[in-house]
Each structure stands twice: as structure tokens, then as C-alpha cells.
């Protein structure tokens, strides 16, 4: 019972009391709901699922490849604002609405970003639907360099 009370007390603490910083850097998208773009806990950065939204207009980008590329750009923009590079990614999770159509494009974009590697571990999952009927969402976990 004491563990349960302690766990509930930790859950109720404000983010700052847990050494967690919620990030929303300039030039990033505006969230489409009540969620933060990223959270930094110690030297680890967790970037929320990013989609193909143009941060200048907050509208989905036209075209499959352009939209997928924009989703990765959005994730990497937030990571860069916190001091991380693509090589600092330790895990990616990609959600697609059609594995056959969108996985090859996601692979191509990742190969452009990470070149010959090393490539971060990735999970790719086909889902029935994404917010705003988008086609891909990518989230990333990054280790921030020591300053």
C-alpha cells in the first residue's frame, strides 16, 4: 500500500519537480491537442509523434513524400533545438496508415538522413487511422550530448 501511495504521489508532482522539462521550441508546429512537443528528462529527449505539418501554416503538406519528409523534419527540428543531432537518436517509432505504400518512402527518407548509418533502432507499425487522416507519424528518443 505504501508503494501505491508513493507512486501516486510521484504521478501528481508537477513536471518541474520531477526534473522534466516540456519543450516547445520556436519554429516548431503548434500541437493539435493538449500535448507537449517534447520532454527532456536528464540527458534524454522524448519527441512526440510528428506528422507532415508545415510549421509556418500548421497545415498538412501536400504529397506523400513531401509530407513524410516534413514529419521527419519536424522531429529533427525539435531535437536540434534541444542540442541533439540525428546521430543522437536511440529509438524511432513510425506509424503508417499503409505499410505497402508508405514504408518504402519512410525508408528512403531515413537513409537520406542517416546515410550509411549507423541507423537508430526503429519500430514501424501500420495503424488504421492517424490524426487529421495523416499518412505517417514519427516519434523519436534522443540522448543529448553532455554540455
Amino acid at each position: 500500500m505504501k508503494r501505491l501511495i508513493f507512486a501516486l504521489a510521484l504521478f501528481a508532482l508537477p513536471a518541474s519537480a520531477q526534473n522534466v522539462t516540456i519543450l516547445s521550441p520556436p519554429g516548431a508546429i503548434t500541437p493539435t491537442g493538449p500535448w507537449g512537443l517534447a520532454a527532456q528528462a536528464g540527458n534524454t529527449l522524448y519527441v512526440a509523434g510528428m506528422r507532415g505539418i508545415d510549421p509556418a501554416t500548421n497545415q498538412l503538406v501536400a504529397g506523400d513524400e513531401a509530407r513524410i519528409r516534413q514529419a521527419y523534419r519536424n522531429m529533427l527540428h525539435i531535437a536540434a533545438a534541444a542540442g541533439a543531432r540525428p546521430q543522437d537518436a536511440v529509438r524511432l517509432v513510425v506509424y503508417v496508415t499503409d505499410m505497402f505504400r508508405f514504408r518504402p518512402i519512410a525508408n528512403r527518407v531515413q537513409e537520406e538522413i542517416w546515410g550509411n548509418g549507423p541507423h537508430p533502432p526503429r519500430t514501424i507499425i501500420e495503424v488504421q487511422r492517424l490524426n487529421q487522416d495523416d499518412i505517417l507519424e514519427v516519434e523519436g528518443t534522443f540522448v543529448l550530448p553532455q554540455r
Side-chain angles (χ1 to χ4, degrees):
M1 186 65 167
K2 286 183 182 179
R3 285 185 188 182
L4 176 61
I5 292 170
F6 179 72
L8 290 174
L10 278 178
F11 183 72
L13 290 174
S16 61
Q18 299 176 37
N19 296 320
V20 173
T21 303
I22 304 301
L23 305 173
S24 183
I29 67 162
T30 300
T32 58
W35 49 275
L37 298 177
Q40 181 178 340
N43 70 333
T44 306
L45 179 70
Y46 303 91
V47 179
M50 291 291 120
R51 295 180 298 107
I53 297 172
D54 178 348
T57 64
N58 280 305
Q59 299 295 315
L60 290 170
V61 172
D64 294 348
E65 186 160 347
R67 187 177 296 176
I68 289 170
R69 192 174 306 287
Q70 186 65 50
Y72 279 88
R73 275 191 202 118
N74 290 340
M75 177 187 67
L76 293 172
H77 171 79
I78 293 166
R85 303 164 300 150
Q87 296 80 3
D88 298 319
V90 295
R91 183 164 193 262
L92 301 175
V93 179
V94 178
Y95 305 91
V96 292
T97 56
D98 185 326
M99 189 73 73
F100 180 76
R101 284 178 59 198
F102 304 129
R103 180 178 172 270
I105 301 170
N107 287 346
R108 188 166 48 251
V109 170
Q110 282 187 225
E111 287 172 349
E112 290 172 13
I113 295 168
W114 280 275
N116 292 328
H119 298 270
R122 179 187 82 181
T123 300
I124 189 165
I125 304 162
E126 183 173 326
V127 296
Q128 182 175 1
R129 195 167 185 195
L130 291 168
N131 191 19
Q132 296 177 302
D133 290 323
D134 208 346
I135 58 175
L136 176 139
E137 187 166 324
V138 59
E139 63 182 62
T141 304
F142 297 80
V143 173
L144 301 174
Q146 298 296 326
R147 298 178 187 200

